[in-house]
Amino acid sequence: MSYEFCTLFDAGYLPRGLALYRSLVDTGADFHLRVFCMDDATYDLLSRMDLPRVTLIRLADLETFDSELLAVKPSRTPVEYFWTATPVVCLYCLEREPELAEITYLDADVMFFADPRPVFDELGSASVLIVPHRYAPAYANDVATSGIYNVQFMTFRRTTDGLEALRWWRERCLEWCYARVEDGKMGDQKYLDDWPERFRGVHVLEHPGGGLAPWNVSRYTLQLRGDAVLVDGQPLIFYHYHSLTLYGGLEALARKRVLPPPYRSSGDGLVWTSGYPISAAERRLVWDPYVRRLGRAVADVRSLDPSFDRGFVERRPVEVVRDAASSALGRARGIARRLHGASRSPGESWRSRSVARQMAKLAEQQLQAPETVAPFSAFLQAIEALLADHPLPQPARFLDFGCGIGQYSELLERRFPGRFDYTGCDYAEEMIAEARARWPGRRFVVNDVFDNKLDLDSFDVVCASSLVDVVADYETALNVLLGAGAPYVLLHRQRIAEGASSVDVGPGYRGQQTYRVRLDFADLERLAAAHGRKIERQFDVEGEIRSFLLVRRALT
């Protein structure tokens, strides 16, 4: 049986696409892979590799084929444009190659462990194949944002039913395809939720070895039998390496075997993290083989272009070591406080595992429908205004000062995937511990606004959400934030007084008393001016609470 595949990626995913291709070769399957190169660098590098059984298609050719795709390009981020293009590449293959009976789309960050024949045998005479997420209980709520099915592996046959579903999907994605949840939509993926009812001939994959991924692997038992990886006793066919982040600059730490968590190295010099917990068996059987293959792919690309660094997040070793030391010190301090049973002032009340857990539970509920949560909506509105009005680098370095359990990192990644290089910091070790547990692939550090150890000049955006609102010495906190070298400061969720600024004590989470600062608008303007800043935009949150975007005054 010969398989007809297509995929799309730019240079940021080029090593992953190369790993996908080579995994197919190693299965011994007969296949042909069409690669839609979403930038010139990808086309040029792959052309020089001259890979057998691969056809390269330029982005310009795809956009010539579908002028409506090109027309929506200005309204989409790069990631959103790739999502919009997914049904178009499938249609391109079927229309440009009339001899094709079917086409199967593959996400570039998939690796095959075995011949996919069981998947196609299960498809039988159906016209469309879709793969369910099969969420583990810990991620069951993700269905609200990520949908029932995953786009990772989709087959469309040249039948009336297959073409009807594919063309409908293309039309919907051209109409709306954004990295946010809106009216039951999210990207290209939630359109699939009702396909078994909407269209005839749709088959939902049942084989557990197809579509194994970080969000469902904990449901299954992994084992090695001979050379085969088994999932509940059946062959693992392909795994989706969602949430993998690759890092540059940390190779020396990897070689010395002194990488602190959450960083990992699996040989070939690559340093990586995953946004999900990984069991020892999963790492050994699934992740390490993939990262080693990625390392070889990176080396091959760099043999053609020694400067290649696309798709890597740069980290300085001194930052990583300092963060690890800070985390260890924070844990020691927390233990000491618990042993001594220290009473908490309102300013210390955030150093509480109970408060952190309450905040996490509330955030989990709110993230199911973030557009209905006033603080989230105002935050996203402010970030969209910032991106629209100012030329931020790609990615822009974003510091979330007083990050709590890190919920704003999730908002940024959902709405603006890949647009920001995020760092969250909080003085409460309990908050940082909760944040790291929830999003282990993201950077969270212990840092106090009154004893700041971070280089605030190195960030493009400094955001403080409800930070100044809960500290008695609000003026010192504002001086630290507004005095940062970062060009943009977002003061998010600040109570504004009718008259003079004031500090009170009031209830927070259950069992908590905290400071409540009401800030005189004139005081904010005065402090901003003292640091050469002005309030460029204001955003209503709810009631007396507002958000402010402060920028540096132009020098004349």
Side-chain angles (χ1 to χ4, degrees):
M1 182 176 183
S2 181
Y3 309 112
E4 304 293 345
F5 295 122
C6 67
T7 188
L8 61 84
F9 51 84
D10 65 2
Y13 263 43
L14 174 54
R16 304 178 205 219
L18 195 56
L20 164 65
Y21 161 75
R22 288 176 173 163
S23 72
L24 280 167
V25 172
D26 288 350
T27 66
D30 184 15
F31 73 93
H32 191 88
L33 178 64
R34 297 146 190 84
V35 176
F36 289 80
C37 305
M38 302 303 281
D39 57 20
D40 291 338
T42 301
Y43 185 89
D44 294 342
L45 287 165
L46 288 178
S47 294
R48 293 166 66 185
M49 292 183 182
D50 193 25
L51 303 173
R53 294 187 279 183
V54 171
T55 297
L56 304 179
I57 299 100
R58 291 183 182 272
L59 176 59
D61 294 333
L62 180 65
E63 292 172 337
T64 298
F65 166 76
D66 194 333
S67 60
E68 292 182 84
L69 173 67
L70 179 59
V72 303
K73 190 173 187 177
S75 67
R76 311 285 158 92
T77 66
V79 169
E80 290 167 348
Y81 191 59
F82 293 179
W83 292 347
T84 306
T86 302
V88 178
V89 304
C90 297
L91 197 58
Y92 178 104
C93 296
L94 291 173
E95 293 198 5
R96 290 298 175 90
E97 300 180 64
E99 70 279 9
L100 286 183
E102 65 186 36
I103 190 68
T104 298
Y105 168 81
L106 305 173
D107 272 349
D109 54 351
V110 161
M111 185 172 86
F112 282 83
F113 286 75
D115 189 312
R117 177 153 194 165
V119 174
F120 290 97
D121 286 347
E122 185 183 316
L123 175 60
S125 61
S127 294
V128 177
L129 177 70
I130 54 178
V131 180
H133 278 108
R134 306 189 195 104
Y135 297 108
Y139 307 108
N141 289 335
D142 288 357
V143 70
T145 55
S146 298
I148 300 171
Y149 307 101
N150 192 280
V151 171
Q152 60 187 318
F153 187 116
M154 297 182 68
T155 299
F156 296 94
R157 284 185 167 152
R158 189 190 296 278
T159 64
T160 300
D161 294 340
L163 292 174
E164 179 187 5
L166 177 56
R167 287 171 176 150
W168 180 91
W169 190 31
R170 168 192 169 273
E171 292 169 2
R172 300 293 79 72
C173 288
L174 290 173
E175 290 172 355
W176 192 100
C177 188
Y178 299 98
R180 61 178 184 266
V181 178
E182 183 177 304
D183 298 329
K185 305 186 293 290
M186 165 61 188
D188 58 345
Q189 194 157 271
K190 276 185 68 63
Y191 286 121
L192 278 57
D193 279 1
D194 67 353
W195 276 26
E197 296 77 39
R198 179 181 292 274
F199 299 110
R200 296 182 301 273
V202 175
H203 179 76
V204 177
L205 185 66
E206 297 177 359
H207 195 297
L212 200 67
W215 52 78
N216 63 32
V217 66
S218 62
R219 293 182 55 191
Y220 304 102
T221 298
L222 297 180
Q223 63 182 119
L224 187 66
R225 182 178 299 167
D227 293 330
V229 178
L230 302 184
V231 184
D232 282 359
Q234 298 192 56
L236 171 58
I237 297 172
F238 63 90
Y239 189 101
H240 187 178
Y241 294 87
H242 173 74
S243 83
L244 172 69
T245 302
L246 301 176
Y247 295 89
L250 303 180
E251 295 81 3
L253 294 182
R255 286 193 296 271
K256 295 176 182 178
R257 298 186 178 182
V258 292
L259 276 172
Y263 301 97
R264 299 177 169 97
S265 179
S266 299
D268 296 301
L270 284 190
V271 177
W272 59 280
T273 62
S274 168
Y276 292 79
I278 298 176
S279 70
E282 185 189 358
R283 176 166 179 176
R284 176 172 54 88
L285 298 176
V286 175
W287 283 90
D288 284 348
Y290 181 66
V291 177
R292 286 193 291 268
R293 190 185 289 274
L294 269 185
R296 293 190 291 272
V298 170
D300 288 345
V301 174
R302 286 177 175 166
S303 71
L304 301 175
D305 179 4
S307 66
F308 181 84
D309 62 358
R310 294 283 298 277
F312 285 80
V313 176
E314 287 298 315
R315 285 280 185 263
R316 292 184 298 171
V318 65
E319 290 179 340
V320 170
V321 173
R322 184 180 64 204
D323 294 347
S326 174
S327 178
L329 180 60
R331 288 194 296 271
R333 286 173 174 167
I335 292 171
R337 279 197 305 273
R338 289 194 294 274
L339 288 175
H340 286 84
S343 61
R344 301 184 187 277
S345 70
E348 289 289 300
S349 67
W350 297 95
R351 299 184 191 268
S352 163
R353 292 177 65 188
S354 173
V355 171
R357 288 169 178 170
Q358 290 179 65
M359 182 184 289
K361 184 175 181 179
L362 177 62
E364 182 177 336
Q365 295 170 350
Q366 292 177 329
L367 284 169
Q368 294 181 26
E371 66 280 0
T372 67
V373 180
F376 287 176
S377 178
F379 173 79
L380 293 172
Q381 183 183 357
I383 298 300
E384 287 172 347
L386 176 60
L387 291 172
D389 297 341
H390 298 283
L392 269 68
Q394 174 82 30
R397 297 199 69 185
F398 187 101
L399 176 63
D400 186 1
F401 221 132
C403 66
I405 60 92
Q407 61 267 45
Y408 285 95
S409 74
E410 180 66 10
L411 278 181
L412 287 174
E413 187 58 29
R414 288 186 189 181
R415 180 66 66 90
F416 313 102
R419 186 64 181 83
F420 293 97
D421 180 7
Y422 175 91
T423 299
C425 72
D426 201 287
Y427 90 115
E429 296 90 347
E430 295 81 358
M431 295 293 175
I432 294 301
E434 186 72 32
R436 287 172 174 165
R438 287 186 167 269
W439 293 289
R442 297 172 191 170
R443 187 167 183 253
F444 297 99
V445 299
V446 178
N447 185 59
D448 191 338
V449 70
F450 298 114
D451 187 24
N452 176 60
K453 297 296 193 299
L454 296 178
D455 179 6
L456 302 188
D457 296 352
S458 68
F459 292 93
D460 301 298
V461 183
V462 172
C463 173
S465 176
S466 293
L467 171 62
V468 178
D469 187 49
V470 296
V471 295
D473 189 3
Y474 61 86
E475 189 156 334
T476 296
L478 281 170
N479 281 325
V480 172
L481 297 167
L482 299 175
Y488 309 105
V489 173
L490 176 59
L491 185 62
H492 181 48
R493 296 182 66 187
Q494 178 59 53
R495 285 177 167 82
I496 298 300
E498 292 290 339
S501 298
S502 64
V503 181
D504 300 306
V505 175
Y509 287 92
R510 187 177 62 253
Q512 182 197 28
Q513 291 287 306
T514 184
Y515 291 116
R516 286 289 179 240
V517 175
R518 286 172 173 80
L519 188 62
D520 181 8
F521 183 75
D523 283 345
L524 179 57
E525 287 189 310
R526 171 178 57 81
L527 291 168
H531 293 285
R533 295 188 184 274
K534 66 177 181 178
I535 299 172
E536 183 180 72
R537 298 282 297 272
Q538 301 182 42
F539 306 89
D540 290 332
V541 181
E542 52 188 345
E544 64 184 351
I545 303 174
R546 296 186 215 163
S547 297
F548 301 90
L549 179 60
L550 299 106
V551 303
R552 292 207 172 278
R553 294 183 183 274
L555 297 177
T556 57

